[in-house]
């Protein structure tokens, strides 16, 4: 079971504190893609979608329409009821395609229309801009920040070669015209987020750069998310046709990855948000953490303002100051997935995600930890090549931004540890569960020591299971420590549970963690108040 215990430790001059919230929400979103897959069979039987077919990935795109989104029990009405105002409703692949569109071949030319498909959204009327604006209005009427849209990394009308036919690829001038039209359309409709994913030009830095150049001229309010398509959900792994698993299981030191470094940097440079890309359970945390360490170091070389999107890994998002591309459905009673995301979004109001153009430096430990999993026939999700294979993924034991590396001691397996100091002075540490010993989601409590000081009005968030956290800089004399749960918990006094060491360090023990319903992830918030007069 994945565990997220959350603590917020702040030295404040008043009960409520003076640290303000972000001026605008971070560009976080909830993406429909995973839910399109998980609900396909049910919605096909219920008659909510057509062309159920074999229920493979091509049909997953068909499970997206007006009914499943905005019907009486639609996703837009059920998920993240208290957080929608801070989230875009990201419509993934299928929203602008005819039903039955295939993955490859001539059907690739249909992708990227950027206009709601009439059969999927029959109530939307008028010009393309009016229909798109009406779709955005539907999302906002349900409380969402607005819609975001999935687009391929090629232009509508481009086709691959094959079958004796040459590829049809547009010239730069043709692309400029097409993408200008899309930007004008989205500006008129008020659509302010693009998720630009794979396509015929997945690795074409020129096209991605053109999109951003035109966006800055035509629709500067738009946030464009780019990515580097890694070719699979695993880092540094090649599975040959005969089933042999090769590669180091990480990006650092992986020659195949290093060859693309220059193009990766170009893509980061033209991205408002850069998505670390798809992963596969149970390796989501280790794979994403390695990518964060790699891309952050790359972005810092040029002091790029780009934000990293860690998708559905809230622990890493809050532990390193990155944005979220949530896929877990966030409705009441769905357990830890909802809890993790809601806690992360609440924390980000105090400590907003930030780019790589600040003084914060990414550091990572020389020590690497390895997670291992052997897949059965039926637990490797969409990446079927992993079936019946033992896969290994590694990442630095500790990754920080703007903080020294903490020391981590454990009797058993260590957790992966993330840490960050935000530009506003807020601090966070995250402790990630592991995939070890044939089990996934293993909490690995450890004693962690960080060379940092608690300062007035600067919160410290501690996320995940730990044994103790020691802050060598200490806390003001006579301080009172109170605890509460994010996002809505009431404070409780826990001063007696924490202690000041002989050297002045403050020690936070695991006993301050408040136990909650086992179906939800427990978390707690601490605030340090000055001594009473």
């Amino acid at each position: 079971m994945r565990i997220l215990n959350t603590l917020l430790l702040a030295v404040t001059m008043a009960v409520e504190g003076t640290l303000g919230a972000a001026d605008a929400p971070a560009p976080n979103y909830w993406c429909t893609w995973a839910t399109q897959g998980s609900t396909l069979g049910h919605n096909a039987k219920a008659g909510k979608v057509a062309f159920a077919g074999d229920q493979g990935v091509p049909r997953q795109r068909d499970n997206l329409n007006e009914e499943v989104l905005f019907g009486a029990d639609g996703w837009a009405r059920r998920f993240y009821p208290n957080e929608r105002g801070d989230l875009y409703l990201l419509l993934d692949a299928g929203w602008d395609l005819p039903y039955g569109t295939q993955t490859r071949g001539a059907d690739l030319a249909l992708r990227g229309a950027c206009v709601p498909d009439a059969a999927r959204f029959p109530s939307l009327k008028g010009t393309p801009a009016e229909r798109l604006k009406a779709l955005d209005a539907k999302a906002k009427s349900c409380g969402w920040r607005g819609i975001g849209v999935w687009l391929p990394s090629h232009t509508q009308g481009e086709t691959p070669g094959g079958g004796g036919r040459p590829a049809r690829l547009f010239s730069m001038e043709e692309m400029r015209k097409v993408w200008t039209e899309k930007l004008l359309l989205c500006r008129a409709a008020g659509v302010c987020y693009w998720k630009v994913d794979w396509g015929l030009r997945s690795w074409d830095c020129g096209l991605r750069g053109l999109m951003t150049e035109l966006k800055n001229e035509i629709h500067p309010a738009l946030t464009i998310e780019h990515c580097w398509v890694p070719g699979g959900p695993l880092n540094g792994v090649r599975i040959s046709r005969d089933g042999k698993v090769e590669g180091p299981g990480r990006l650092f030191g992986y020659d195949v990855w290093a060859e693309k470094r220059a193009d990766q940097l170009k893509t980061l440079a033209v991205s408002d948000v850069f998505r670390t890309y798809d992963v596969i359970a149970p390796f989501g945390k280790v794979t994403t953490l390695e990518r964060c360490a790699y891309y952050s170091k790359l972005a810092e070389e040029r002091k790029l303002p780009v934000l990293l999107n860690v998708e559905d890994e809230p622990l890493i998002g809050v532990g390193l100051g990155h944005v979220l591309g949530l896929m877990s459905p966030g409705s009441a009673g769905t357990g830890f997935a909802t809890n993790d995301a809601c806690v992360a979004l609440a924390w980000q109001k105090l400590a907003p995600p930030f780019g790589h153009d600040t003084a914060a430096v990414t550091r990572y430990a020389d020590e690497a930890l390895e997670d291992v999993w052997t897949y059965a026939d039926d637990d490797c999700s969409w990446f079927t090549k992993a079936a019946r294979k033992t896969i290994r993924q590694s990442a630095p034991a500790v990754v920080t931004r703007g903080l020294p590396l903490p020391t981590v001691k454990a009797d058993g397996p260590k957790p992966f540890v993330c840490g960050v100091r935000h530009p506003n002075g807020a601090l966070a540490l995250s402790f990630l569960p592991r995939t070890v010993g044939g089990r996934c989601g293993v909490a690995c409590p450890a004693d962690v020591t960080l060379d940092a000081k608690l300062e007035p009005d600067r919160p410290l968030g501690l996320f995940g299971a730990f044994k103790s956290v020691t802050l060598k800089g200490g806390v003001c004399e006579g301080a009172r420590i109170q605890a509460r749960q994010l996002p809505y918990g009431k404070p409780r006094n826990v001063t007696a549970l924490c202690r000041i060491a002989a050297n002045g360090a403050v020690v936070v023990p695991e006993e301050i963690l408040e136990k909650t319903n086992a179906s939800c992830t427990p978390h707690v918030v601490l605030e340090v108040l000055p001594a009473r007069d």
Side-chain angles (χ1 to χ4, degrees):
M1 173 181 175
R2 183 168 72 170
I3 298 177
L4 169 59
N5 303 313
T6 305
L7 302 101
L8 170 62
L9 185 60
V11 181
T12 61
M13 300 309 294
V15 172
E16 296 298 327
T18 58
L19 187 69
D23 292 335
N28 298 313
Y29 58 76
W30 176 73
C31 174
T32 61
W33 184 246
T35 303
Q36 286 174 237
S38 64
T39 64
L40 176 56
H42 175 272
N43 286 342
K45 290 178 182 178
K48 296 180 179 180
V49 295
F51 300 100
D54 61 5
Q55 299 188 11
V57 170
R59 302 285 73 82
Q60 189 169 342
R61 284 187 289 272
D62 288 343
N63 189 23
L64 183 61
N65 60 31
E66 194 164 353
E67 175 64 21
V68 301
L69 276 173
F70 303 112
D73 63 344
W75 307 335
R77 299 185 186 280
R78 290 166 47 205
F79 297 161
Y80 296 103
N82 299 312
E83 293 77 26
R84 293 174 196 162
D86 295 334
L87 294 169
Y88 290 109
L89 178 62
L90 197 295
L91 310 183
D92 211 276
W95 74 280
D96 60 347
L97 289 173
Y99 283 122
T101 302
Q102 298 300 304
T103 303
R104 296 181 174 85
D107 278 7
L108 282 173
L110 300 174
R111 299 181 187 281
C114 203
V115 178
D117 180 73
R120 294 175 186 263
F121 299 95
S123 77
L124 308 182
K125 306 298 182 182
T127 66
E130 289 170 340
R131 290 160 58 197
L132 189 57
K133 186 176 182 64
L135 182 57
D136 185 66
K138 276 184 171 289
K140 289 176 177 174
S141 71
C142 294
W144 297 85
R145 186 175 178 181
I147 62 166
V149 296
W150 185 97
L151 291 171
S153 51
H154 66 260
T155 59
Q156 189 183 29
E158 292 188 299
T159 59
R165 298 183 303 274
R168 169 69 169 110
L169 297 177
F170 287 8
S171 67
M172 186 62 74
E173 193 55 39
E174 288 175 303
M175 287 194 293
R176 180 177 292 273
K177 180 177 182 296
V178 170
W179 287 103
T180 294
E181 292 171 352
K182 288 184 174 67
L183 286 162
L184 290 170
L185 173 65
C186 287
R187 186 180 71 181
V191 173
C192 291
Y193 201 99
W194 283 3
K195 175 184 177 180
V196 183
D197 204 347
W198 64 271
L200 290 174
R201 298 174 181 263
S202 293
W203 299 278
D204 187 340
C205 303
L207 173 58
R208 293 185 184 273
L210 176 65
M211 293 181 206
T212 299
E213 172 195 333
L214 293 173
K215 182 270 294 190
N216 291 337
E217 297 173 1
I218 298 169
H219 188 9
L222 177 71
T223 296
I224 296 187
E225 173 195 295
H226 289 294
C227 62
W228 182 261
V229 181
L234 300 167
N235 295 337
V237 170
R238 298 182 297 272
I239 301 177
S240 63
R241 290 185 178 180
D242 61 3
K244 185 178 181 181
V245 179
E246 302 173 315
R250 62 181 313 189
L251 301 183
F252 291 105
Y254 186 42
D255 293 341
V256 174
W257 197 256
E259 292 172 0
K260 307 297 183 181
R261 188 175 184 277
D263 284 343
Q264 292 163 358
L265 185 55
K266 290 177 183 177
T267 305
L268 284 163
V270 299
S271 302
D272 298 315
V273 175
F274 182 93
R275 184 163 64 98
T276 55
Y277 217 74
D278 301 345
V279 292
I280 186 172
F283 291 119
K285 289 177 176 56
V286 57
T287 304
T288 301
L289 182 61
E290 173 86 348
R291 292 177 185 178
C292 287
Y294 179 89
Y295 286 126
S296 283
K297 290 299 291 183
L298 205 58
E300 285 171 10
E301 290 182 9
R302 302 281 183 86
K303 292 293 182 184
L304 301 174
V306 59
L307 295 163
L308 293 191
N309 179 323
V310 297
E311 292 199 318
D312 216 12
E313 295 296 341
L315 268 177
I316 298 177
V318 293
L320 290 174
H322 299 320
V323 298
L324 309 175
L326 301 170
M327 291 195 184
S328 299
S331 56
T334 56
F336 69 83
T338 301
N339 185 260
D340 286 7
C342 295
V343 168
L345 292 167
W347 168 256
Q348 287 187 355
K349 291 180 181 296
L350 295 173
F354 63 103
H356 294 78
D357 54 345
T358 72
V361 173
T362 297
R363 298 176 173 88
Y364 54 87
D366 294 332
E367 178 187 10
L369 303 179
E370 182 180 74
D371 281 8
V372 182
W373 185 256
T374 299
Y375 287 98
D377 288 332
D378 59 352
D379 70 347
C380 52
S381 185
W382 52 274
F383 192 63
T384 56
K385 290 195 294 184
R388 301 180 300 281
K389 307 292 190 304
T390 296
I391 304 295
R392 301 173 185 274
Q393 292 283 273
S394 298
V398 183
V399 181
T400 64
R401 296 180 70 199
L403 280 177
L405 296 174
T407 60
V408 182
K409 296 181 180 180
D411 295 331
K414 293 181 180 179
F416 289 103
V417 177
C418 310
V420 61
R421 185 191 301 275
H422 289 259
N424 68 4
L427 305 176
L429 291 175
S430 283
F431 314 100
L432 311 185
R434 301 281 307 283
T435 297
V436 291
R439 298 166 55 214
C440 58
V442 178
C444 303
D447 295 300
V448 179
T449 301
L450 178 65
D451 188 4
K453 182 179 180 180
L454 294 175
E455 300 181 21
D457 305 320
R458 297 295 181 262
L460 166 65
L462 303 175
F463 303 85
F466 62 88
K467 189 173 181 181
S468 71
V469 174
T470 299
L471 296 131
K472 294 169 69 174
V475 67
C476 55
E477 184 177 356
R480 292 170 291 132
I481 302 174
Q482 62 182 21
R484 64 183 176 92
Q485 290 187 303
L486 284 175
Y488 309 117
K490 296 183 181 296
R492 57 190 175 91
N493 193 321
V494 294
T495 306
L497 292 177
C498 301
R499 68 183 179 86
I500 305 298
N503 62 1
V506 61
V507 181
V508 182
E510 63 180 333
E511 284 78 13
I512 60 90
L513 300 176
E514 186 173 313
K515 306 304 180 183
T516 60
N517 190 315
S519 67
C520 295
T521 304
H523 63 275
V524 66
V525 175
L526 298 182
E527 295 170 312
V528 179
L529 307 177
R532 293 188 177 92
D533 294 335

